[in-house]
């Protein structure tokens, strides 16, 4: 009788442990898809897109941002714990950024380690496909009289320092072209002017790393404008500009 009771207790404990494992285990398919990621980096807040796939029972992925797309070095999911790593070239040096976090029903969040030099929080939510068209449809019409064609002197402030590039713009309606000149040499630019909103991008090579820099801002008057600049993985900054 005692042996039967002991066996029953052991069987109950085994069944309970199996039930607990099943209740906390999260299938790999639960993280497969596209995620909008917000990262608190040493240079400030930045956004990226994380794409996770399942191939042959193994998770793979890639991170997309204004600096381009790079595959993940690794990604693992154990229960609700997710860990993934990616190597970035920062100012000529390879840096492994490791993301650790928890997977919840419709979100993920945790902490990122920037090669042992700094840490920051990160979070992710499922990507919304319809967000881009909605933003595009909300663009205001071109306002008459605002033309920024000509030479401009810029002052750019970032967490890593400041710079004083110059830009020469040619505006044709809402279309914007021109040239950048600064510490990274010369580069063509393309963009738009819609109402008082200006946006343009340049592609430069910073210490061996190809980088897309995006400037967005407001035209204050015919001789002044200001806004923000995104340097991809390197962070963000503020800028002001005066017509020469």
């Amino acid at each position: 009788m005692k042996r039967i009771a002991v066996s029953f207790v052991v069987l109950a404990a085994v069944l309970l442990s199996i039930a607990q494992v099943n209740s906390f285990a999260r299938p790999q398919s639960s993280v497969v898809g596209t995620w909008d990621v917000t990262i608190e980096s040493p240079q400030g807040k930045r956004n990226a897109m994380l794409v996770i796939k399942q191939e042959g029972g193994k998770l793979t992925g890639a991170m997309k941002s204004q600096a381009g797309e790079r595959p993940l070095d690794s990604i693992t999911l154990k229960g609700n714990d997710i860990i993934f790593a990616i190597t970035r070239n920062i100012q000529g040096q390879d840096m492994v950024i490791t993301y650790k976090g928890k997977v919840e029903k419709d979100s993920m969040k945790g902490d990122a380690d920037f090669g042992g030099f700094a840490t920051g929080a990160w979070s992710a939510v499922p990507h919304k496909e319809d967000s881009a068209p909605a933003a595009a449809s909300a663009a205001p019409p071109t306002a008459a009289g605002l033309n920024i064609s000509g030479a401009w002197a810029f002052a750019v402030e970032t967490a890593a320092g400041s710079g004083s590039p110059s830009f020469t713009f040619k505006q044709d309606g809402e279309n914007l072209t021109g040239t950048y000149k600064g510490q990274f040499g010369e580069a063509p630019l393309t963009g738009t002017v819609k109402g008082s909103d200006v946006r343009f991008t340049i592609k430069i090579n910073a210490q061996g790393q190809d980088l897309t820099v995006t400037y967005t801002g407001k035209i204050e008057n015919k001789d002044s404008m200001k806004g923000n600049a995104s340097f991809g993985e390197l962070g963000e900054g503020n800028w002001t500009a005066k017509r020469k």
Side-chain angles (χ1 to χ4, degrees), residues 3 10 19 23 59 61 65 70 88 92 95 107 112 114 125 127-128 148 164-165 171 189 211 218 226 231 234 237 241:
R3 291 182 61 187
V10 171
S23 65
L59 291 176
S65 69
R70 292 188 68 88
R88 293 286 189 185
M95 175 184 291
S107 64
F114 297 88
V125 295
H127 176 64
K128 294 183 179 179
I148 63 172
S164 302
Q171 182 180 341
L189 68 89
L211 189 66
K218 289 283 187 181
K226 65 180 180 180
F231 299 87
L234 299 182

Side-chain angles (χ1 to χ4, degrees), residues 81-102:
D81 297 323
I82 188 169
I83 301 175
F84 56 96
I86 187 170
T87 300
R88 293 286 189 185
N89 187 284
I90 307 297
Q91 297 181 349
Q93 300 279 343
D94 284 341
M95 175 184 291
V96 177
I97 306 174
T98 303
Y99 297 81
K100 296 181 179 181
K102 294 283 187 181

Side-chain angles (χ1 to χ4, degrees), residues 145-183:
L146 287 178
N147 192 305
I148 63 172
S149 295
W152 292 74
F154 274 60
V156 183
E157 296 288 341
T158 72
S162 60
S164 302
S166 62
F167 290 85
T168 301
F169 298 112
K170 181 179 180 181
Q171 182 180 341
D172 182 8
E174 292 187 349
N175 296 321
L176 191 65
T177 57
T179 305
Y180 155 88
K181 292 183 180 181
Q183 66 183 95

Side-chain angles (χ1 to χ4, degrees), residues 23-27 30 77-82 101-104 109:
S23 65
F24 288 102
R26 182 176 291 273
S30 65
L77 178 67
K78 294 182 179 180
N80 290 349
D81 297 323
I82 188 169
K102 294 283 187 181
V103 180
E104 300 177 359
K109 62 181 179 180

